[in-house]
Amino acid sequence: INAEYMGDKMAEYGTLAVDLIGPNILDKATAIRKGSIDFQAYASSNLVTVEDATLLDDFVRNKSRAEFLNANGEAFFRALFKLYSKIVRVETLQYLVTIFDEAAQNEVFFKQILSAAAKINFNPAEIFFGVFDKQEKDSYLLHQSSRMVARLLSAGVALGGRELRVYLQWLASVIQSVEPGNCELALGSLQRILARASLRQDVYPLVEQALAAVLGVESRIQAHYVAVFCLWELSFDPVVVSQLQDSPSVSKVAGLLRTVRKEKLARIAVAFLRNVLDKAEDAQSKRKFAGQMIAQKGAPVDRQLREAEDVPR
């Protein structure tokens, strides 16, 4: 693995990791898209203006939504934000966040979302964080909101310290539950967040135990891959690497190499272990990490260590 190449492709790999999961809670999006919302009723209740309700209706009825957004995207997202911020009905929130999530996967439309929020003085990350503050129970709404928050954080949108902590604690709890589907989705959101280097030191203490828990569960190749990818992202920060000395994650990743048969998992595991050795700040730290790896007696680890520089034999 070329670390510089993968760093440049982080967003692309982040999307790939989630797409590889297979059937999960987000499959519900297909059914939700087929639903409908009476936006004029919200206009009658003064939750949106008649003009905004008409704009929202036009989007839903338009056969080419991409063309509609190319022409009206910023105005549309301003209207959508205003309505989203006032709605409490779960079914309506599901519908609206699905629109946001699908649009955000297009770079042009994502920029429209950011611009629309800025023009009405909304912090979009705080808008989608609301469901975590309210301790919402609907899994679909939580994961779709999480994907939006993660995408916004990775793009540089700020979230307050308390809000970030609450959100990360939710992510960690879902990851640590290792519940199939939910765990992988939460890992995918974490992977995207960690693409933003400035967040890594704040994120690591809140998710370290969860990542180690995932690595301890057998026969979860996709979860293992995304968890190790998150650790690989974290290992570019020397401060985090120094904290990894007290974590079981290094030895668990080294242990995976003894039995792993998937090339993509083996590659990212070796990349993480090599990065840990490269980023360790002193010989004592390198020696401790090397000892954790060698103790697993994995041939790929031994071979990688022999090739590493400045590692005591």
Side-chain angles (χ1 to χ4, degrees):
I1 290 180
N2 182 296
E4 182 177 355
Y5 171 80
M6 290 191 70
D8 292 341
K9 295 292 184 180
M10 189 69 72
E12 180 180 329
Y13 270 73
T15 302
L16 177 62
V18 176
D19 291 344
L20 287 173
I21 293 170
N24 56 58
I25 190 71
L26 297 188
D27 290 342
K28 190 175 179 180
T30 302
I32 290 175
R33 281 196 301 270
K34 294 178 180 177
S36 62
I37 299 293
D38 186 355
F39 292 112
Q40 295 301 328
Y42 287 117
S44 299
S45 303
N46 294 320
L47 292 177
V48 293
T49 65
V50 173
E51 181 182 3
D52 283 348
T54 301
L55 188 63
L56 295 171
D57 279 332
D58 288 345
F59 170 81
V60 173
R61 289 194 296 262
N62 203 296
K63 292 182 178 180
S64 177
R65 293 184 174 182
E67 289 183 8
F68 177 89
L69 291 178
N70 280 326
N72 309 282
E74 195 169 300
F76 169 77
F77 289 121
R78 286 200 301 270
L80 205 62
F81 269 125
K82 291 175 185 177
L83 179 60
Y84 191 91
S85 66
K86 299 174 183 177
I87 295 297
V88 295
R89 188 168 180 263
V90 169
E91 291 77 12
T92 304
L93 289 173
Q94 289 178 339
Y95 187 85
L96 299 182
V97 77
T98 299
I99 294 174
F100 272 116
D101 178 69
E102 292 182 350
Q105 295 176 46
N106 179 292
E107 184 177 353
V108 173
F109 301 153
F110 183 60
K111 289 180 180 179
Q112 290 178 344
I113 290 172
L114 295 175
S115 180
K119 288 190 176 179
I120 54 177
N121 294 319
F122 275 20
N123 180 324
E126 291 180 355
I127 293 293
F128 295 109
F129 165 78
V131 296
F132 302 101
D133 217 16
K134 297 172 185 175
Q135 298 184 330
E136 176 59 54
K137 302 299 182 184
D138 183 79
S139 293
Y140 177 85
L141 181 56
L142 286 167
H143 280 293
Q144 284 285 37
S145 299
S146 174
R147 283 157 60 90
M148 286 302 301
V149 172
R151 194 181 297 272
L152 290 161
L153 288 175
S154 68
V157 177
L159 194 60
R162 183 192 72 83
E163 291 81 3
L164 181 62
R165 185 171 61 255
V166 169
Y167 170 57
L168 291 172
Q169 287 171 340
W170 176 83
L171 273 184
S173 68
V174 176
I175 293 169
Q176 198 156 1
S177 73
V178 297
E179 181 181 349
N182 285 330
C183 172
E184 285 85 351
L185 284 169
L187 282 167
S189 292
L190 178 60
Q191 179 180 345
R192 187 177 291 278
I193 293 168
L194 292 174
R196 185 176 167 193
S198 61
L199 290 175
R200 291 170 186 164
Q201 292 182 24
D202 293 330
V203 171
Y204 174 75
L206 295 170
V207 302
E208 184 273 326
Q209 290 185 356
L211 292 174
V214 171
L215 296 174
V217 179
E218 296 182 359
S219 303
R220 293 291 295 277
I221 298 299
Q222 184 58 32
H224 288 166
Y225 171 73
V226 189
V228 178
F229 199 109
C230 289
L231 288 168
W232 175 75
E233 292 174 291
L234 287 163
S235 69
F236 282 92
D237 190 304
V239 173
V240 173
V241 169
S242 68
Q243 296 171 344
L244 278 168
Q245 294 183 67
D246 301 318
S247 168
S249 295
V250 172
S251 60
K252 286 187 176 184
V253 172
L256 286 177
L257 287 171
R258 293 163 54 189
T259 57
V260 66
R261 294 293 181 268
K262 294 290 185 179
E263 183 180 357
K264 68 170 186 175
L265 178 53
R267 286 186 175 184
I268 195 64
V270 171
F272 164 66
L273 296 175
R274 181 61 182 265
N275 225 20
V276 166
L277 292 173
D278 288 344
K279 299 296 181 182
E281 294 184 334
D282 53 62
Q284 183 178 357
S285 299
K286 290 178 184 288
R287 190 174 293 111
K288 185 172 183 179
F289 282 130
Q292 292 174 358
M293 298 176 196
I294 293 172
Q296 295 300 321
K297 298 180 180 179
V301 181
D302 293 338
R303 184 167 59 250
Q304 184 69 10
L305 290 176
R306 289 191 211 107
E307 297 171 357
E309 298 177 359
D310 302 324
V311 178
R313 298 299 189 251

